[in-house]
Amino acid sequence: MASTDIKPLVTHIFTADPSAHVFSGKLYVYPSHDVSTDIKDNDNGDQYAMNDYHVLSMEEVGGPVTDHGVALALEEIPWAGKQLWAPDAATRDGKYYLFFPARDKEGVFRIGVAVSDVPEGPFKPEPEPIEGSFSIDPASFVDDDGEAYLYFGGIWGGQLQCWTSGEFDKAAYSGMEAQSGNALYPKVAKLSKDMLSFDGVVQDVIIFDKEGQPLAASDHDRRFFEAAWMHKYNGKYYFSYSTGDTHYLCYAVGDNPIGPFTYGGRILEPVQGWTTHHSIVEHKGKWYLFHHDTSLSGKNHLRCVKVTEIFYNKDGEIKVTPS
Ligand code: FUB
């Protein structure tokens, strides 16, 4: 089924970048909340000028969706200047954590965390961003052994290319990304037991092709751009992401949460609109791909979240139709 044929989850607000999780048997979706703006589309992503987050929930896919209202607002976050982009959530020891990127007051993207006693929030932000965090699109993953990880990164407007030296280099922004050598790697860090900080160093998430070579920077059909997600299927770790300017959702498979990962294929062809972003979750015995397109507005920055069932073939490959 084409993405445009799928109904948006909600139509009373614009939503994007859906991170879906099952908490206590119920499906929760943590999206971006897109807003109208006069800012013209540009490669920096200035038109994505979001100011708050809403949490959505449903008992099952296809059932009524509840919007729990504002879960966190920009003005409540002491360090944030603008642009609340794609968030994610996790739970540990009875608390719920909302991870979110924002530009700080100097215009540098950092990742923050906010805490609640309930999955729908509201969430109380920590006063500072996570120490050592940078760039955008945090995706949390709690493994079966209880260890938690945060994946992140996004190039171009997401500024990942500015961090190759370990320090923020504004000058590196102008090149957007190098076109030779290996592609820029997304990042992963283990989370501390209290989920509020990184436990150890930020590591590269390396994606090899099937010949064992790291994906090349020029390989725009397969290289990582933004929108990291991690899920586990049949004991394998699936790292999925957007290729940005070529508009695919792709995945790579590994034997542990840190990788390395081997490129596995495409999950979704380009949808209507420039960005594509997703999450993958199991609920009531079925696997779902949450994603977005612009079918509700026709505008790149006013998106709507959708969901479709996905399947695995006997080799563990992801398919949008059963095989
Ligand atoms: O929503 C703003 C940005 O657009 C996200 O952070 C990216 O992943 C893209 O979907």
Side-chain angles (χ1 to χ4, degrees):
M1 190 191 284
S3 167
T4 42
D5 295 333
I6 302 171
K7 279 207 270 179
L9 274 191
V10 293
T11 55
H12 65 293
I13 55 171
F14 291 106
T15 54
D17 309 325
S19 293
H21 290 277
V22 177
F23 295 134
S24 303
K26 192 168 170 177
L27 255 174
Y28 289 86
V29 182
Y30 299 83
S32 297
H33 174 201
D34 284 352
V35 286
S36 294
T37 173
D38 292 335
I39 300 169
K40 296 264 174 300
D41 281 16
N42 59 41
D43 288 341
N44 200 34
D46 294 330
Q47 65 276 22
Y48 302 105
M50 299 84 106
N51 298 314
D52 64 22
Y53 294 112
H54 286 225
V55 178
L56 309 176
S57 73
M58 68 207 87
E59 292 296 338
E60 61 210 347
V61 168
V65 177
T66 302
D67 173 358
H68 295 275
V70 176
L72 178 66
L74 185 63
E75 62 265 21
E76 297 168 325
I77 308 164
W79 59 268
K82 59 179 180 178
Q83 291 180 302
L84 292 182
W85 283 12
D88 193 16
T91 185
R92 184 183 252 172
D93 299 333
K95 296 265 184 209
Y96 294 85
Y97 301 88
L98 185 73
F99 298 97
F100 59 92
R103 283 183 192 262
D104 66 14
K105 306 262 165 57
E106 278 73 53
V108 179
F109 269 113
R110 305 278 178 183
I111 295 169
V113 56
V115 188
S116 177
D117 291 329
V118 288
E120 66 271 24
F123 291 86
K124 187 175 182 324
E126 290 292 292
E128 299 288 341
I130 297 174
E131 193 179 341
S133 72
F134 54 92
S135 198
I136 60 166
D137 289 2
S140 56
F141 172 71
V142 182
D143 205 353
D144 300 329
D145 63 3
E147 295 292 348
Y149 302 84
L150 198 71
Y151 301 83
F152 58 95
I155 59 176
W156 296 21
Q159 302 177 338
L160 188 61
Q161 70 280 8
C162 299
W163 289 93
T164 50
S165 70
E167 298 289 320
F168 184 71
D169 175 9
K170 199 171 179 191
Y173 184 75
S174 55
M176 304 296 262
E177 69 181 306
Q179 290 306 312
S180 59
N182 296 339
L184 284 167
Y185 298 123
K187 305 294 175 194
V188 60
K190 225 172 180 176
L191 286 164
S192 57
K193 290 286 172 233
D194 66 5
M195 303 289 268
L196 302 180
S197 59
F198 291 161
D199 179 10
V201 293
V202 172
Q203 298 184 57
D204 291 331
V205 175
I206 301 176
I207 305 170
F208 291 117
D209 62 18
K210 291 202 166 115
E211 287 70 52
Q213 295 302 313
L215 294 182
S218 58
D219 189 352
H220 288 214
D221 282 356
R222 297 191 298 176
R223 63 93 171 84
F224 172 85
F225 188 99
E226 63 186 4
W229 186 255
M230 170 58 63
H231 76 281
K232 200 172 179 179
Y233 173 79
N234 251 353
K236 294 280 187 192
Y237 296 82
Y238 286 68
F239 178 79
S240 47
Y241 56 95
S242 159
T243 62
D245 58 341
T246 48
H247 317 289
Y248 299 119
L249 290 177
C250 295
Y251 70 98
V253 183
D255 291 321
N256 69 70
I258 304 290
F261 298 91
T262 302
Y263 180 82
R266 279 184 204 160
I267 305 168
L268 197 66
E269 297 296 307
V271 294
Q272 182 183 314
W274 201 96
T275 66
T276 187
H277 192 123
H278 71 299
S279 60
I280 294 171
V281 70
E282 185 183 21
H283 191 228
K284 300 190 174 171
K286 292 184 173 185
W287 285 90
Y288 294 102
L289 175 75
F290 285 78
H291 59 103
H292 70 224
D293 68 14
T294 59
S295 55
L296 201 55
S297 74
K299 294 193 168 98
N300 280 331
H301 67 284
L302 295 175
R303 300 161 289 180
C304 54
V305 166
K306 301 185 162 187
V307 57
T308 189
E309 191 177 352
I310 55 165
F311 308 89
Y312 297 83
N313 71 10
K314 63 178 175 24
D315 298 322
E317 293 170 336
I318 298 178
K319 304 285 169 195
V320 286
T321 48
S323 49

